[in-house]
Amino acid sequence: MTLFKDPGFNFNGLLALGGSGYGAAEVGEVLTAVNTINKAGVSAQTYSETFKELGDQLMEAPEGSKPGTQTTRFRALRAAQYYGQALFFVLGSDDPGSEEQLYKAGRGAWDKFCELCDPAPVTADIPYGKTPLPVWFFRPDDSGERRPTVILTNGSDGQNVDMWTYGVAAALERGWNALVYDGPGQGQLLYVDHVVFTPRWETVVTPLVNWLAARSDVDTGKIALTGLSMAGNLAPRAAAFENRIAALVAMPGVLAPWLGFPPQIREILTPNKEETNDIWNKKVVPELPPSAAVTLKKRFEPFSVPAMLDAREGKMFTDFYTPANLIESLDITNVVGRIKMPTLVLDYDYEQFYPGQPRQMFDKLTAPKDYVKLTTATGAQLHCSPMAPQQHCEVVFDWLQEKLSGS
């Protein structure tokens, strides 16, 4: 399943292609962009530039016709996808300083899509520290009927459009409500408000549950929580301390995000800040290949505002110690035993970021639990099944409906 020879570009291209099943991409648009990038030579510049131009085109009216509401709506959804693709690689482009502007373009497309939904999602800012959490509460209709509700948690570099593909559309089709939100280290809180990840994700989820519990159209006994990608760590952490969650899905199970980094990067971290940063700045950074440097800038920015701001200026961050410690503190190995609600742990053939961790989490769980591995046989391999989000949602929501039917 090769769109690009480079596995990083290929994975992101497959994610875009997979979004087609839920209207969050168009096969022809994605493959045409892939051909354009390959012809020009694959790089962060050509990738980001090509997908940004595609997003810009979709936010304009199509030639030769006056677009109807649904046309405008789904063009905006696809634009949100393509802006997200461009955003992922912009730090390696010729214009890394455009990162916030590019995020806002994608957010604008997402908001346009939401505005044209029927019914439009309820939007709110839920108090969280000094910076509120923006939320989008989707409902199948505006009848006010009490319904099961799923809180959808994004990973370390996903965008809101990914939550449409990995849960909102499937929830609405099944008569469920769905809540999408930006937490610390994500979306608006990261790119605009400069708030990084927290290891205490229960402090993020509990205000969301409070907000849902105050609504008459939410069945408070049937609130589920899912976590995609690195949120397969965040959601279980929250569920270990928030007992109003009725069912939990980790997609995949992630005990320790720090172990997702290469060993040669992890071994830089020592107990001493000065020593660690001395190794980083004098021995590691000068030897980093350009592609590895860009990857590390991207991976570290949700954990360090200085790292993000340096990357936007085309520079490598100098404080490795602080964000590395934050990432290491996300380890929930000794926390999962507190989880009490039924839990589904997903795993994938050729899981490339957290291999082995889903099974390890499953083994440590003492709650009622299930383990499902999505496989190459049906095209659902790789982290988060980028080519098979519909299969992914079928597994998740069939399990949720079974577990919550008697709640």
Side-chain angles (χ1 to χ4, degrees):
M1 300 295 180
T2 304
L3 301 178
F4 303 105
K5 292 181 180 179
D6 179 276
F9 288 106
N10 194 60
F11 178 70
N12 278 271
L14 292 176
L15 276 171
L17 197 61
S20 302
Y22 285 115
E26 178 81 290
V27 171
E29 291 170 348
V30 174
L31 293 182
T32 299
V34 168
N35 286 343
T36 300
I37 294 163
N38 278 321
K39 185 176 180 180
V42 184
S43 68
Q45 175 65 27
T46 58
Y47 195 103
S48 185
E49 186 178 77
T50 301
F51 274 105
K52 179 187 180 297
E53 288 176 359
L54 186 50
D56 289 343
Q57 290 170 15
L58 288 170
M59 290 305 288
E60 299 173 356
E63 292 184 15
S65 65
K66 183 177 180 181
T69 299
Q70 289 295 82
T71 296
T72 301
R73 176 184 172 225
F74 277 103
R75 283 172 69 91
L77 182 65
R78 302 202 307 277
Q81 171 77 257
Y82 303 145
Y83 284 132
Q85 290 289 321
L87 176 65
F88 190 89
F89 291 104
V90 72
L91 293 181
S93 75
D94 296 342
D95 189 14
S98 67
E99 183 181 50
E100 182 177 339
Q101 179 185 355
L102 192 50
Y103 162 73
K104 288 180 176 177
R107 169 65 182 272
W110 168 256
D111 286 340
K112 171 59 71 173
F113 166 75
C114 290
E115 173 191 322
L116 297 175
C117 287
D118 185 18
V122 175
T123 58
D125 289 319
I126 295 178
Y128 171 79
K130 296 179 180 179
T131 310
L133 309 173
V135 302
W136 296 263
F137 180 65
F138 290 85
R139 305 148 295 159
D141 56 50
D142 54 8
S143 65
E145 178 182 345
R146 293 177 73 241
R147 299 177 183 273
T149 300
V150 59
I151 302 172
L152 302 165
T153 307
N154 222 329
S156 65
D157 45 41
Q159 301 302 316
N160 301 130
V161 63
D162 300 320
M163 294 297 89
W164 175 264
T165 302
Y166 282 91
V168 176
L172 296 176
E173 288 167 356
R174 290 160 174 81
W176 284 48
N177 301 319
L179 185 74
V180 175
Y181 67 101
D182 286 342
Q186 301 171 330
Q188 178 183 309
L189 268 74
L190 174 66
Y191 295 111
V192 180
D193 300 327
H194 297 177
V195 181
V196 298
F197 275 114
T198 173
R200 298 182 61 230
W201 206 256
E202 67 276 14
T203 64
V204 180
V205 168
T206 289
L208 303 178
V209 178
N210 290 342
W211 187 82
L212 289 172
R215 295 189 61 87
S216 60
D217 52 1
V218 172
D219 185 338
T220 55
K222 296 182 179 181
I223 297 177
L225 176 66
T226 70
L228 183 71
S229 191
M230 199 193 82
N233 167 272
L234 305 175
R237 165 71 198 204
F241 296 92
E242 176 48 76
N243 59 19
R244 290 173 293 176
I245 299 299
L248 168 69
V249 186
M251 315 179 307
V254 181
L255 290 174
W258 184 231
L259 297 180
F261 287 79
Q264 58 267 40
I265 295 299
R266 301 200 307 271
E267 68 186 17
I268 298 167
L269 182 61
T270 76
N272 182 277
K273 181 176 182 178
E274 184 177 353
E275 178 186 349
T276 296
N277 287 340
D278 199 50
I279 295 170
W280 170 249
N281 290 303
K282 293 181 179 178
K283 297 181 180 180
V284 178
V285 172
E287 300 297 326
L288 280 175
S291 60
V294 171
T295 298
L296 287 170
K297 289 176 184 179
K298 180 63 180 176
R299 293 300 181 195
F300 271 74
E301 72 170 353
F303 304 95
S304 168
V305 171
M308 179 175 70
L309 298 180
D310 281 343
R312 290 177 178 180
E313 294 181 8
K315 299 185 297 186
M316 178 57 80
F317 55 93
T318 57
D319 180 9
F320 177 92
Y321 179 87
T322 303
N325 266 283
L326 174 54
I327 301 168
E328 192 175 43
S329 74
L330 294 173
D331 192 321
I332 60 170
T333 302
N334 297 323
V335 172
V336 292
R338 296 178 56 112
I339 295 170
K340 298 293 186 283
M341 67 286 296
T343 300
L344 172 63
V345 178
L346 293 189
D347 199 354
Y348 312 94
D349 274 351
Y350 304 105
E351 164 61 47
Q352 69 269 44
F353 298 116
Y354 308 109
Q357 292 202 43
R359 173 56 75 172
Q360 292 165 12
M361 175 182 285
F362 178 78
D363 290 343
K364 286 185 174 296
L365 285 165
T366 57
K369 58 186 180 178
D370 291 287
Y371 171 92
V372 174
K373 191 167 192 176
L374 293 160
T375 70
T376 310
T378 56
Q381 70 268 33
L382 298 175
H383 181 68
C384 298
S385 300
M387 295 174 286
Q390 292 177 88
Q391 283 186 53
H392 199 277
C393 288
E394 288 164 3
V395 170
V396 169
F397 281 91
D398 283 352
W399 183 87
L400 286 174
Q401 288 182 313
E402 178 186 344
K403 297 304 175 185
L404 298 188
S405 61
S407 296

